Amino acid sequence: MFAHDPLRPTSTNPSTRNPRRRQRNSADENGLALPSAKKRRSVLAGSTFIRPDDVHHHHQPHPSIEADGELHANGGPVMNGSIVKEHRTLSSEGRELVVRDKRRSSHRGIKGDGSVILTKNESFTVSKLVALPDNLRNLGDEAYAGVFSDTAYALALTASQAIVWPYLAILSSPETFIFSLPPAPKGNADLLPLGALATPSDASAEPGLVVVMPATGKITYWASITSAASLDLTRQQRSGLEGSVGSMFSGELIVQIVDVAPAGFVLGFSSGRLALLTLRDTQGRPAVRVQIMRSQVAGGGGLFGGLKQVLVGGSWPKDVVAVRAASRRKREERDVAVITAKGVVQIWTVHRGGHHHLRQESRAGADMVAAIKQAVPDLERYSDDKFETLDFAFIPGFDNIDETNVEGGGATSRKLLVLGTFHEAKAATYLLLELIIASTTVQVGFVHPLRSYTTPLSTRVRKRPRLVLPSPPRAAFVIFDRAVVVTSLAKGVDSPSQQLLADVHRFPKAFEEVLDFQEGLDIEVVGCGSEDGSEGRSFSSGHDSHHRRRSPHPACVLLLRTVGVVRISIPPPSHHGSLAESESLPIKSRIEQAISYGEQPHNPLYFGARPELQPAPEEIEEATLSISSEILTSTSKAVISLAPSLEHQLNHRLTVHQALASYINSVFPPLPRPAKWRLLFDGERLAAAIDVWKHYDHRPKGSDAQSSSPVLLTLAERMQDHEVDAGRSLPMIDEKKGEPDQVRHMFIRGIRKLETIIAGTRVVVLDHHHDHQKSLAQELDLLSQAYDIFLTGLTAAFDYRQREAARYGLQEEGMIDGLLKSPHTHYDGLPEFWTSNAYIVQAGQELADLSYALLAQCSPTPKLPSGRGATLVKTLRHRFPDLAHMHCRITLERSRWFSGQTNPPRQADGAACKQEHIRIRRELCGQLRDLGLIDEAMSLADRFAEVDGLMDLVMEELATIDESRQQRGVTPEERTRLDQRKKELEERFMQHFHKFGSRWARALFERNIQQGRLASLLDQRVEFRPLLTRFLRTHPGYAKVSWINEVLREENVRQAANILQTDAARFERDLWSKKVELSLSKLSILAAEAEAEDDEGASGETTGVNGTNGVHSDDATTKLDDNERISELDRDLQLIEVQEQLYQHVQPSIREAIDEAAAVDLVIKDYGRKLTHGKPALRTVLEQGLRSLVAREPLNFEMTIQVLTLIDHRDDITTASELTGHEFALALRINRLLRAVATEKATLLERIIWRRCLIRDDWVTINDTPRKDDEAMTELTANTALFRTVQDLSSQVTGFQQDSTDTEPRAPHEVLGAGSTVPELRLLFPEDLCAPIAADLRKEDARLQKQMDRGRLEEWFSGTVEAARTSVQTDASSEARLALRRRMLAANLRENAR
């Protein structure tokens, strides 16, 4: 019937036969002799591995819920089809594994099974098994599969084939049994057949195969898969036994098949019915028989009762979600549990002979919902009907009731672990519940909500989630279509914590983790199974290789589409503390798994973070930096710590570090910016270490290769001996652990301090330099090695930073050659850059100094013998510019980092570092020039924008070329070369204009100014004029040249006015020059206005944008600005006019002086003694004003007012100046000018002016009126400062307007207390002068109060003011009458002349 496989080895060597196998006679099974099956049964046998009382059941994936609400399997119709057997030829070694030898009785675990570890941690291990049939590697969308660990076989069913293979085989293409099935009938093409592997019979060690067609109920059974495969094609039809379920309801489908050996199989229907399928008759011969499982219903006896059971279904539940079998309770019977979506539980007992009965039915749905809401109050928001059970499993050890020994301590209840859910459209809550079923009661134990997975069930997925609970029950596996949740039960099953929380059904928080699968690979769980742990078991020598390759730990086995077989195993408690002690994997462990296993090609696992298990940002940062540091010290679990090739080991560490950065950057929220930089720094160290090691490892070997010991070796020895600065030594080597190589140890364990290694090279070189026992050649050799380490390491670090910044999430950082651009916006908050710390900068400086000294010593003719010494000089001379570039780069980075900090002391250090960088780059440019490396010096100055030094180099080189061309004896060829050189320099000169712009122009113009060629600035080339104008405008010190340039070259008169006004207001310290500049500025504005009016008149009247003829809004704005500026200029000119009057007032004292110092003393003596007597602070202010006045320095508004109101009169001067008697009126005039720009200051100064005016005279004496007539009193009051000031204000002598508010005198009570407090005076004086000046002003208040109290000043004030105004009016009337008489006389004269 079945064809023999020609590829199958048929050796009959007795040594390969199993002596313990009995020979099968013709009466066995189908009465056929199967010699090939005897040869192969040892490869596939599994019955001897399972203890008789520990046979484990296997369940198939539950069908999905279709739109019509009925349950159906993903299967097709049953038809007995042909069988095709496919396998591979085994090697002789493989055949030897078949022999059962007592010497191989030890258990080898899973070591050497060929599996690939997909991820591993303290809690579980995920591995991919290698055995997978070739035709399953591209498994289609439709498949039904299962794993049967007790037989070590897996089964996959498609619409056309049934495929069986040993999933524990170590071959990637294992021996495979393929059973071809006929096509499904029309209308049922989308239904896949169901199947299971049957328990091996007594006559065979191989399992049988049962295939059930869901829609038709047809059943095919092969007692042995190898027996069927060994038959020829003509006998295949008779090899499989066929049967049928019998009559099925309309639309009813078979949705489950459950192994209940020894009783057979239980079939589950979509209608809720159950059927018992037996494969043996009463004589033990193969036979297919199906019985519908019915229970006795009350009142259901007789014909009509039986008919009711058939039509109505008796007690069959309508929404069965799972059928599971308990472990064997007796030899001939098995208990089966059934659960519905709403929590109805049935317990059936089935017997080997086909008998069955319903032992118990309980409705636990309401109890489960109540317990859930009590344990998890947050779920109170759900209605009870939202709860649904999805699957369940017997808890091992509690799946049977010992009815024969209840009083003796036997089990009195069963325990189920139920998977349930409260589901919503966007999220779902999954829970595990312990259901305790006693003989008459049902209770709910613990409730364990799954916090790590909330994805709702997809409507496109046709499989329900599965619950797998291997023995021992350390962990439960909840299997979804694209994820697996692993949760610990160590705290929930009869643990003290569970007992304490039993009253509220609360499950202690336990370990929980989710294994997700990659998107885009079409991965889906199509089948699963469990492997019970075999820890502590002993195995007989008859156990085959498959069972020896089983995991010794409880495990869940998955069949993944496009992947294969994947195992998740749980190690024992002594080796996985995390599973029992923590709630989830530490974030550090997750990251290590991702970077260790995530880079494997075709790894189906997704290592990203689920939103339910998102760690805190602080935890991510801490874990990331910790792993990074461990990679640098080779202590991370993700890297190899030792390899034959250190270069390979370093590259491996860098690859892992890059994977770490990419993973963190792509999976988690962005790290803080400082953390990103720390991570990048570690990557730079690794990249730098690789290049440094390459130079060391590839160095010339041999006795003549070098004249001294390698610098790295010497440095490693010193660092091991702590002969370096404290805190910078490396971890000590341990020769007992086999660590003799100090240099390799430095690169394996010490890269975290790579800056110490790089900077430490200068210690070795300088020590030998100061030793004076080394020859010059040896010193040069050591210096060359130091160059290799210093330049190679730092260059690699900066290149890596520039190239890989985006990988570390720093793609937005602006970098040039690895340096951040702006110090103020980019460096704030960043850790110190290791490439420019103090040790690195010091090493660069000392190496540069030593290099220059040695090269200068060997120039121009090397003082070395020919050979290696001369070669070293040439090499160092060639590489010295690289060292100069690197030293400038690191000092620039250091200055920028300090300047970018917000800490004031560090900012001060930044300013110092900046100046040091400028000094260093200028010094290095000079050293390169001195060594004859002019082009290299220009390149250095150009790279680091040393504009002044570059200008000097270019100009000096041009001057040298001109001198060389003028020398006698210059050949034409040499002259041509010099001309070409000059042309190149001139082109470079112009390029610098485009690159540096105004900075280059400034250097050029300042050089001309320093050389006394100021006038030549205005004669620059036309293309230089814009730069010259910009230079002059931005340098106020050249304002006197700038305004000329504006008038003559730019023809911008208005800009010239701006320059003159700005220079006069801010920088000019000579009064006469300031007056001239202000006058010229005013003249320029007036000229600009006149020019604008001329242009407007020439163009004719036009309609402006604002609708007025000839007036544009821009022109109006410009005119308004010009008017404001003219007003400002007028104020400044009036101030200068008053200051000139002051100078003329003190001129008599100045004329008597022999020099300026004497003039100042005389003026202070004559005009600064009386009014400020007893007021030291005010005297200081007055003296300062008088010094500036004598020195012809401009005074501001406030100081001018102070001088006018505090100055004395000389009694010995007979001729008074124009200022005498008008001081306070002028002061008020200046104050009015000040009010236009500083109102608050002017208000305070106005009160002070009037107070000093009131106290200038002795009102107590004036108030002494006895023996004084009116004429005397009038004369006394007319001579007071108050009278003269009011008179000046009323007569406009000082230029006041009549409507000005400043002309209104202030009464004594209004000015009392002006400026007597420090806060007020902060407007006028520096903080340190406010308190003493306030004290002096309070003295003025005291004098004013005395005049008010004893001299009745308040009363005299009004009369004096009125008298002053009346005198002005009287004088005005007299002058008017006189003018009238003069006009009348003139008229009479003209009349007489006619």
Side-chain angles (χ1 to χ4, degrees):
M1 292 178 60
F2 290 96
H4 179 69
D5 187 354
L7 298 177
R8 176 76 174 181
T10 57
S11 174
T12 58
N13 188 344
S15 63
T16 63
R17 300 281 304 273
N18 188 344
R20 301 181 61 183
R21 289 285 305 277
R22 66 176 178 85
Q23 296 296 322
R24 192 175 295 176
N25 55 39
S26 60
D28 292 338
E29 300 294 338
N30 295 316
L32 299 174
L34 305 174
S36 60
K38 296 178 185 178
K39 296 177 183 179
R40 286 192 283 176
R41 73 183 183 90
S42 60
V43 179
L44 308 174
S47 59
T48 57
F49 180 80
I50 306 299
R51 293 178 297 178
D53 58 345
D54 192 25
V55 178
H56 306 292
H57 59 276
H58 302 273
H59 314 301
Q60 308 306 319
H62 197 280
S64 67
I65 302 178
E66 294 293 336
D68 58 2
E70 292 186 348
L71 295 171
H72 71 91
N74 214 3
V78 172
M79 293 186 67
N80 189 19
S82 62
I83 304 173
V84 179
K85 180 170 176 290
E86 175 181 300
H87 51 265
R88 300 290 181 267
T89 303
L90 300 178
S91 64
S92 59
E93 291 81 6
R95 296 295 299 173
E96 290 177 356
L97 294 176
V98 176
V99 181
R100 295 183 178 127
D101 191 343
K102 292 184 179 181
R103 291 176 298 177
R104 300 188 180 186
S105 60
S106 61
H107 181 54
R108 296 189 305 167
I110 62 173
K111 182 178 181 180
D113 63 353
S115 62
V116 178
I117 296 179
L118 301 178
T119 188
K120 184 177 182 180
N121 53 61
E122 300 83 354
S123 302
F124 55 82
T125 300
V126 183
S127 56
K128 177 185 176 182
L129 306 185
V130 296
L132 185 67
D134 293 337
N135 54 343
L136 288 181
R137 297 186 185 277
N138 296 314
L139 187 62
D141 292 338
E142 303 297 332
Y144 174 93
V147 177
F148 302 85
S149 61
D150 52 352
T151 63
Y153 280 92
L155 167 66
L157 288 162
T158 66
S160 60
Q161 292 180 330
I163 304 169
V164 183
W165 76 98
Y167 73 92
L168 293 177
I170 60 175
L171 298 177
S172 60
S173 297
E175 185 179 31
T176 305
F177 305 96
I178 302 177
F179 297 79
S180 297
L181 302 177
K186 294 181 179 181
N188 296 317
D190 60 336
L191 298 178
L192 293 177
L194 303 179
L197 296 182
T199 303
S201 63
D202 294 338
S204 174
E206 289 77 25
L209 173 62
V210 179
V211 178
V212 180
M213 301 304 171
T216 63
K218 290 185 178 181
I219 302 170
T220 304
Y221 167 58
W222 291 272
S224 172
I225 54 174
T226 55
S227 298
S230 65
L231 299 178
D232 55 51
L233 293 176
T234 61
R235 305 169 66 187
Q236 286 181 6
Q237 298 298 326
R238 297 200 305 270
S239 67
L241 300 180
E242 295 185 356
S244 176
V245 172
S247 61
M248 295 177 62
F249 296 158
S250 175
E252 187 179 33
L253 300 173
I254 301 174
V255 296
Q256 295 186 75
I257 178 171
V258 180
D259 185 7
V260 292
F265 294 87
V266 171
L267 305 179
F269 294 79
S270 59
S271 62
R273 294 196 301 165
L274 302 177
L276 179 60
L277 168 63
T278 58
L279 304 177
R280 300 282 174 177
D281 59 13
T282 56
Q283 302 300 320
R285 293 173 298 185
V288 176
R289 186 175 61 177
V290 178
Q291 292 180 328
I292 300 298
M293 299 171 59
R294 296 183 177 89
S295 61
Q296 296 297 327
V297 181
L303 175 63
F304 296 101
L307 181 62
K308 179 180 179 182
Q309 287 190 358
V310 173
L311 297 178
V312 181
S315 61
W316 297 319
K318 304 300 182 183
D319 54 353
V320 173
V321 296
V323 180
R324 301 288 179 261
S327 62
R328 290 191 181 186
R329 184 164 57 90
K330 296 181 180 179
R331 179 178 177 82
E332 302 294 330
E333 65 181 31
R334 193 92 171 261
D335 287 346
V336 179
V338 180
I339 194 168
T340 69
K342 296 304 177 183
V344 177
V345 181
Q346 291 183 342
I347 305 296
W348 293 78
T349 298
V350 294
H351 299 264
R352 183 171 187 177
H355 305 292
H356 60 271
H357 66 277
L358 178 64
R359 298 174 59 90
Q360 184 178 354
E361 179 175 294
S362 305
R363 299 185 179 274
D367 294 337
M368 286 192 288
V369 172
I372 290 172
K373 293 185 176 181
Q374 183 180 7
V376 188
D378 292 343
L379 300 181
E380 289 283 354
R381 66 181 186 278
Y382 292 105
S383 59
D384 293 356
D385 59 353
K386 289 290 186 181
F387 177 74
E388 180 183 358
T389 61
L390 300 174
D391 198 3
F392 78 97
F394 283 100
I395 297 178
F398 298 91
D399 50 353
N400 287 307
I401 297 178
D402 190 357
E403 298 175 346
T404 62
N405 191 25
V406 173
E407 295 181 357
T412 60
S413 61
R414 295 180 175 88
K415 292 185 179 181
L416 308 182
L417 188 64
V418 180
L419 172 64
T421 180
F422 281 101
H423 55 82
E424 292 179 327
K426 296 183 179 181
T429 300
Y430 300 98
L431 309 102
L432 294 178
L433 302 92
E434 180 189 34
L435 202 60
I436 305 171
I437 304 176
S439 300
T440 58
T441 61
V442 176
Q443 296 180 352
V444 179
F446 62 80
V447 175
H448 175 32
L450 300 182
R451 63 187 182 277
S452 61
Y453 190 88
T454 59
T455 304
L457 298 178
S458 174
T459 56
R460 67 175 182 85
V461 178
R462 295 185 291 175
K463 294 185 178 70
R464 285 177 176 266
R466 288 293 312 274
L467 177 62
V468 175
L469 186 61
S471 176
R474 297 179 191 143
F477 302 86
V478 182
I479 303 170
F480 298 89
D481 60 324
R482 293 186 48 79
V484 177
V485 178
V486 182
T487 181
S488 172
L489 297 180
K491 296 183 179 180
V493 180
D494 285 346
S495 67
S497 300
Q498 188 268 342
Q499 297 297 328
L500 293 174
L501 301 175
D503 293 340
V504 292
H505 308 286
R506 190 169 298 168
F507 188 76
K509 289 185 177 180
F511 174 84
E512 189 175 315
E513 188 64 24
V514 178
L515 292 173
D516 275 320
F517 300 117
Q518 294 277 5
E519 295 283 350
L521 300 181
D522 197 26
I523 299 174
E524 184 180 354
V525 179
V526 297
C528 63
S530 66
E531 289 183 346
D532 292 341
S534 57
E535 301 152 4
R537 296 184 184 180
S538 61
F539 299 93
S540 66
S541 60
H543 289 164
D544 58 35
S545 60
H546 291 328
H547 288 292
R548 287 196 299 271
R549 289 192 295 271
R550 279 182 48 173
S551 171
H553 314 307
C556 172
V557 182
L558 308 174
L559 271 72
L560 303 181
R561 181 169 57 239
T562 72
V563 176
V565 183
V566 173
R567 173 193 285 146
I568 309 172
S569 61
I570 307 297
S574 59
H575 302 291
H576 77 297
S578 176
L579 185 62
E581 297 174 2
S582 64
E583 298 179 14
S584 63
L585 285 177
I587 181 60
K588 181 179 178 181
S589 177
R590 294 185 191 176
I591 298 174
E592 287 177 334
Q593 292 177 69
I595 61 177
S596 299
Y597 302 101
E599 298 298 317
Q600 291 181 359
H602 310 299
N603 192 326
L605 298 181
Y606 171 67
F607 292 94
R610 290 190 61 85
E612 300 92 342
L613 298 176
Q614 191 70 250
E618 297 79 9
E619 296 177 355
I620 300 173
E621 178 182 354
E622 180 181 358
T624 302
L625 296 180
S626 176
I627 294 173
S628 177
S629 178
E630 291 175 358
I631 292 175
L632 264 62
T633 57
S634 299
T635 56
S636 173
K637 299 178 181 178
V639 300
I640 55 177
S641 59
L642 194 62
S645 170
L646 181 57
E647 181 180 344
H648 171 73
Q649 196 258 4
L650 289 169
N651 280 296
H652 165 70
R653 287 156 66 186
L654 180 59
T655 301
V656 173
H657 196 274
Q658 291 177 343
L660 170 66
S662 299
Y663 174 76
I664 296 299
N665 195 32
S666 61
V667 173
F668 296 109
L671 292 174
R673 187 164 173 258
K676 292 179 183 179
W677 274 99
R678 288 190 176 94
L679 197 61
L680 176 58
F681 288 165
D682 289 346
E684 295 167 10
R685 290 183 174 98
L686 285 166
I690 291 173
D691 282 11
V692 171
W693 170 256
K694 285 181 181 178
H695 272 270
Y696 175 78
D697 193 42
H698 299 164
R699 71 192 187 281
K701 310 290 194 304
S703 58
D704 297 332
Q706 54 188 20
S707 58
S708 57
S709 299
V711 171
L712 275 179
L713 178 59
T714 306
L715 178 63
E717 293 172 351
R718 294 191 177 190
M719 296 182 77
Q720 286 294 323
D721 296 336
H722 300 279
E723 294 183 10
V724 295
D725 296 341
R728 295 195 290 148
S729 58
L730 296 177
M732 295 295 294
I733 64 172
D734 189 349
E735 296 185 0
K736 295 181 180 179
K737 295 182 179 181
E739 297 176 341
D741 193 333
Q742 296 173 332
V743 177
R744 287 179 179 268
H745 177 76
M746 184 167 60
F747 281 91
I748 293 174
R749 302 293 183 188
I751 295 181
R752 187 168 57 89
K753 296 182 178 181
L754 184 65
E755 55 269 36
T756 301
I757 299 173
I758 293 176
T761 56
R762 54 101 184 173
V763 178
V764 178
V765 175
L766 289 178
D767 285 353
H768 286 292
H769 176 70
H770 297 308
D771 190 15
H772 301 297
Q773 295 181 359
K774 297 287 185 180
S775 65
L776 185 57
Q778 290 176 323
E779 284 193 53
L780 292 173
D781 178 69
L782 290 174
L783 188 58
S784 178
Q785 294 184 52
Y787 268 50
D788 289 339
I789 299 171
F790 190 85
L791 291 179
T792 300
L794 291 180
T795 300
F798 282 113
D799 291 346
Y800 185 87
R801 181 185 302 170
Q802 182 73 35
R803 184 178 66 252
E804 300 291 341
R807 183 190 299 273
Y808 294 83
L810 297 169
Q811 59 273 11
E812 301 299 329
E813 305 281 347
M815 292 189 198
I816 298 178
D817 293 339
L819 296 181
L820 289 178
K821 295 180 181 178
S822 173
H824 298 293
T825 59
H826 285 72
Y827 287 87
D828 185 21
L830 295 185
E832 184 178 13
F833 283 60
W834 73 275
T835 49
S836 57
N837 65 15
Y839 300 121
I840 294 288
V841 172
Q842 181 183 2
Q845 183 65 55
E846 293 177 349
L847 289 177
D849 293 342
L850 181 59
S851 299
Y852 176 69
L854 292 178
L855 290 174
Q857 179 181 346
C858 299
S859 297
T861 302
K863 298 179 180 180
L864 290 172
S866 60
R868 179 171 175 78
T871 302
L872 288 173
V873 171
K874 184 182 298 184
T875 301
L876 290 176
R877 178 183 172 84
H878 176 71
R879 300 189 67 185
F880 181 64
D882 297 333
L883 179 64
H885 275 263
M886 182 59 67
H887 189 41
C888 287
R889 188 190 297 192
I890 61 179
T891 55
L892 177 61
E893 181 179 70
R894 185 164 182 80
S895 67
R896 286 181 175 180
W897 181 78
F898 273 111
S899 300
Q901 306 305 305
T902 56
N903 188 2
R906 287 195 169 181
Q907 287 183 342
D909 293 338
C913 288
K914 183 177 181 179
Q915 296 302 317
E916 180 67 10
H917 165 73
I918 295 173
R919 182 196 66 79
I920 288 173
R921 73 191 187 193
R922 289 179 179 173
E923 181 180 87
L924 289 172
C925 287
Q927 291 176 354
L928 290 171
R929 178 197 57 203
D930 296 342
L931 294 174
L933 302 172
I934 301 298
D935 289 336
E936 289 79 359
M938 291 182 184
S939 175
L940 179 66
D942 186 6
R943 166 62 184 84
F944 292 98
E946 177 51 43
V947 178
D948 294 333
L950 182 59
M951 176 62 68
D952 293 339
L953 290 170
V954 173
M955 300 303 289
E956 289 175 6
E957 184 69 4
L958 288 172
T960 301
I961 292 174
D962 290 338
E963 291 177 1
S964 299
R965 292 181 76 255
Q966 300 300 324
Q967 292 179 358
R968 295 181 179 181
V970 178
T971 63
E973 293 80 6
E974 184 68 16
R975 190 180 300 276
T976 301
R977 187 189 66 80
L978 291 174
D979 291 341
Q980 181 63 29
R981 172 69 171 170
K982 182 176 182 180
K983 181 179 178 181
E984 293 176 356
L985 287 176
E986 289 176 345
E987 291 177 353
R988 185 182 298 181
F989 186 89
M990 295 305 300
Q991 291 174 359
H992 294 329
F993 263 110
H994 298 292
K995 180 177 182 179
F996 298 112
S998 59
R999 297 177 61 191
W1000 183 251
R1002 177 189 56 80
L1004 173 62
F1005 301 145
E1006 286 184 346
R1007 183 180 179 87
N1008 288 340
I1009 293 172
Q1010 291 171 0
Q1011 294 178 354
R1013 295 183 293 176
L1014 187 62
S1016 64
L1017 287 177
L1018 301 179
D1019 297 328
Q1020 293 290 342
R1021 297 165 54 177
V1022 175
E1023 58 267 26
F1024 292 171
R1025 286 181 182 175
L1027 294 173
L1028 174 61
T1029 300
R1030 187 186 310 168
F1031 167 75
L1032 294 174
R1033 287 178 180 178
T1034 55
H1035 289 76
Y1038 308 130
K1040 294 178 177 60
V1041 179
S1042 179
W1043 81 271
I1044 298 175
N1045 178 70
E1046 297 292 343
V1047 174
L1048 298 181
R1049 297 289 180 260
E1050 300 295 332
E1051 297 182 354
N1052 190 341
V1053 181
R1054 186 172 278 105
Q1055 181 64 29
N1058 292 338
I1059 294 173
L1060 288 170
Q1061 184 178 4
T1062 301
D1063 183 68
R1066 298 182 180 178
F1067 306 105
E1068 187 57 64
R1069 302 308 303 162
D1070 181 75
L1071 185 64
W1072 182 85
S1073 299
K1074 181 174 182 178
K1075 182 178 181 180
V1076 171
E1077 290 182 0
L1078 292 175
S1079 301
L1080 288 174
S1081 178
K1082 182 177 180 180
L1083 181 62
S1084 299
I1085 294 176
L1086 294 174
E1089 288 182 345
E1091 183 180 358
E1093 291 176 359
D1094 293 342
D1095 293 340
E1096 183 180 351
S1099 60
E1101 291 190 353
T1102 59
T1103 302
V1105 295
N1106 58 358
T1108 60
N1109 291 337
V1111 180
H1112 294 272
S1113 59
D1114 293 342
D1115 295 338
T1117 302
T1118 302
K1119 195 166 187 178
L1120 180 62
D1121 292 341
D1122 289 342
N1123 292 336
E1124 292 179 354
R1125 291 176 58 195
I1126 289 176
S1127 298
E1128 183 178 353
L1129 290 169
D1130 287 338
R1131 288 195 295 269
D1132 292 338
L1133 289 171
Q1134 291 181 51
L1135 178 62
I1136 292 176
E1137 180 185 353
V1138 173
Q1139 186 172 345
E1140 289 179 339
Q1141 293 181 29
L1142 267 172
Y1143 185 80
Q1144 294 298 326
H1145 182 69
V1146 300
Q1147 185 68 26
S1149 297
I1150 297 176
R1151 283 196 296 264
E1152 301 173 2
I1154 59 175
D1155 55 18
E1156 184 175 332
V1160 171
D1161 293 338
L1162 290 174
V1163 169
I1164 292 175
K1165 177 181 178 182
D1166 294 339
Y1167 298 97
R1169 299 286 186 181
K1170 298 178 181 179
L1171 294 180
T1172 57
H1173 178 70
K1175 302 168 185 171
L1178 290 178
R1179 175 174 292 182
T1180 301
V1181 172
L1182 177 60
E1183 289 179 356
Q1184 180 180 352
L1186 292 176
R1187 290 179 189 277
S1188 298
L1189 181 66
V1190 173
R1192 304 293 286 169
E1193 296 177 355
L1195 300 177
N1196 58 22
F1197 291 96
E1198 298 91 327
M1199 182 58 74
T1200 303
I1201 292 173
Q1202 296 294 334
V1203 173
L1204 285 171
T1205 56
L1206 294 176
I1207 195 170
D1208 297 332
H1209 296 292
R1210 283 186 59 177
D1211 298 332
D1212 57 337
I1213 296 179
T1214 57
T1215 303
S1217 68
E1218 296 180 359
L1219 184 137
T1220 304
H1222 304 289
E1223 300 91 338
F1224 294 103
L1226 290 172
L1228 290 170
R1229 176 187 174 188
I1230 297 301
N1231 193 62
R1232 180 173 64 87
L1233 299 175
L1234 177 62
R1235 187 179 296 276
V1237 293
T1239 305
E1240 194 173 356
K1241 285 184 178 181
T1243 301
L1244 175 60
L1245 285 171
E1246 180 188 358
R1247 298 175 61 202
I1248 294 175
I1249 293 170
W1250 281 109
R1251 181 175 61 195
R1252 291 176 179 171
C1253 177
L1254 293 173
I1255 65 175
R1256 176 63 66 93
D1257 301 293
D1258 186 4
W1259 291 94
V1260 176
T1261 303
I1262 296 173
N1263 188 54
D1264 188 11
T1265 58
R1267 296 182 298 275
K1268 294 179 183 178
D1269 54 13
D1270 288 347
E1271 184 178 356
M1273 292 302 301
T1274 301
E1275 183 179 357
L1276 284 175
T1277 55
N1279 290 328
T1280 61
L1282 176 61
F1283 186 92
R1284 289 192 299 269
T1285 301
V1286 174
Q1287 196 176 40
D1288 289 343
L1289 297 179
S1290 301
S1291 62
Q1292 300 185 358
V1293 174
T1294 56
F1296 276 89
Q1297 303 293 332
Q1298 284 291 339
D1299 56 352
S1300 175
T1301 56
D1302 293 315
T1303 60
E1304 187 64 31
R1306 297 293 183 260
H1309 67 277
E1310 295 180 283
V1311 300
L1312 190 65
S1316 58
T1317 61
V1318 172
E1320 289 180 288
L1321 294 181
R1322 289 196 181 105
L1323 294 171
L1324 305 176
F1325 301 101
E1327 181 69 29
D1328 57 336
L1329 294 178
C1330 289
I1333 291 176
D1336 288 351
L1337 293 180
R1338 285 193 292 270
K1339 295 177 181 179
E1340 291 184 355
D1341 281 336
R1343 178 174 173 81
L1344 177 60
Q1345 188 66 49
K1346 177 181 177 181
Q1347 302 287 357
M1348 294 169 62
D1349 295 341
R1350 298 176 56 187
R1352 296 192 299 171
L1353 177 57
E1354 193 74 42
E1355 300 175 18
W1356 282 105
F1357 174 78
S1358 300
T1360 304
V1361 170
E1362 184 63 28
R1365 288 175 175 172
T1366 301
S1367 67
V1368 172
Q1369 294 174 359
T1370 301
D1371 293 342
S1373 299
S1374 300
E1375 291 179 2
R1377 287 193 298 271
L1378 181 59
L1380 179 60
R1381 291 177 182 175
R1382 289 174 179 172
R1383 287 195 298 271
M1384 292 176 64
L1385 180 60
N1388 291 333
L1389 291 174
R1390 286 194 297 269
E1391 186 67 26
N1392 294 332
R1394 293 177 183 174

